[in-house]
Amino acid sequence: MPYLYIKALHIIFMVTWFAGLFYLPRLFIYHTESNDDLSHQRFIVMERKLFIIMSIGMLLTVVFGFWLLGQNPALMKSGWLHAKLAFVAGLIIYHFYCHKIQRDLRDGIKKRSSKWLRYFNEGPAVLLIIIVILAVAKPF
């Protein structure tokens, strides 16, 4: 498959992943603020389904990213790529921390306040800005 098609698929699945990273913590906020069982059950279903979709996005983003590196291994000599990969690793950690929060909320455990979750929700936006700047500008 030509390099540019692989890159396009990498970007498509990255967008899918980020859509989930942006919306799932927002669902956590609403879930934390809900008090009735019907809402609790509805949020459990929504969070579970969204996590599945965003996990597929994450997996395929990583697969196509490594495929791109396999097509152009010289990129591994670029400092910007090492930085980008470090921030992507941070996103993966964030992703799985979302899964922990999801399981806690499913089990009725509300360890974090909605205010804390509002700050937590900003993490992917900051990382997206950094990652895109690194990938496009290649500053070092």
Side-chain angles (χ1 to χ4, degrees):
M1 184 180 286
Y3 186 82
L4 292 178
Y5 287 101
I6 299 167
K7 187 184 245 184
L9 289 168
H10 176 66
I11 293 167
I12 289 165
F13 289 109
M14 183 269 305
V15 170
T16 303
W17 183 23
F18 267 95
L21 289 171
F22 289 151
Y23 192 57
L24 186 61
R26 177 60 48 186
L27 287 177
F28 295 158
I29 293 165
Y30 301 143
H31 193 162
T32 299
E33 292 175 348
S34 71
N35 295 317
D36 61 290
D37 191 54
L38 180 62
S39 294
H40 176 71
Q41 294 306 318
R42 184 176 298 127
F43 283 118
I44 288 173
V45 171
M46 292 171 66
E47 292 160 359
R48 181 178 49 83
K49 288 181 178 183
L50 181 57
F51 187 79
I52 290 168
I53 292 167
M54 68 188 253
S55 293
I56 292 167
M58 177 193 67
L59 177 65
L60 291 173
T61 298
V62 171
V63 165
F64 286 109
F66 279 116
W67 195 352
L68 286 169
L69 286 175
Q71 296 290 307
N72 190 359
L75 286 173
M76 285 305 295
K77 296 178 183 174
S78 304
W80 67 267
L81 182 65
H82 290 262
K84 176 189 170 189
L85 292 175
F87 285 109
V88 170
L91 274 176
I92 292 170
I93 292 166
Y94 184 96
H95 179 98
F96 286 106
Y97 191 70
C98 282
H99 189 55
K100 180 187 178 338
I101 294 170
Q102 176 198 354
R103 287 190 326 259
D104 286 346
L105 289 171
R106 177 197 65 202
D107 297 339
I109 301 167
K110 296 180 180 181
K111 290 183 178 178
R112 303 292 184 180
S113 69
S114 61
K115 182 177 181 179
W116 185 90
L117 289 166
R118 288 177 201 284
Y119 288 112
F120 178 74
N121 190 39
E122 301 304 321
V126 172
L127 291 172
L128 176 65
I129 291 166
I130 294 168
I131 290 167
V132 169
I133 288 171
L134 287 167
V136 173
K138 298 172 177 58
F140 50 90

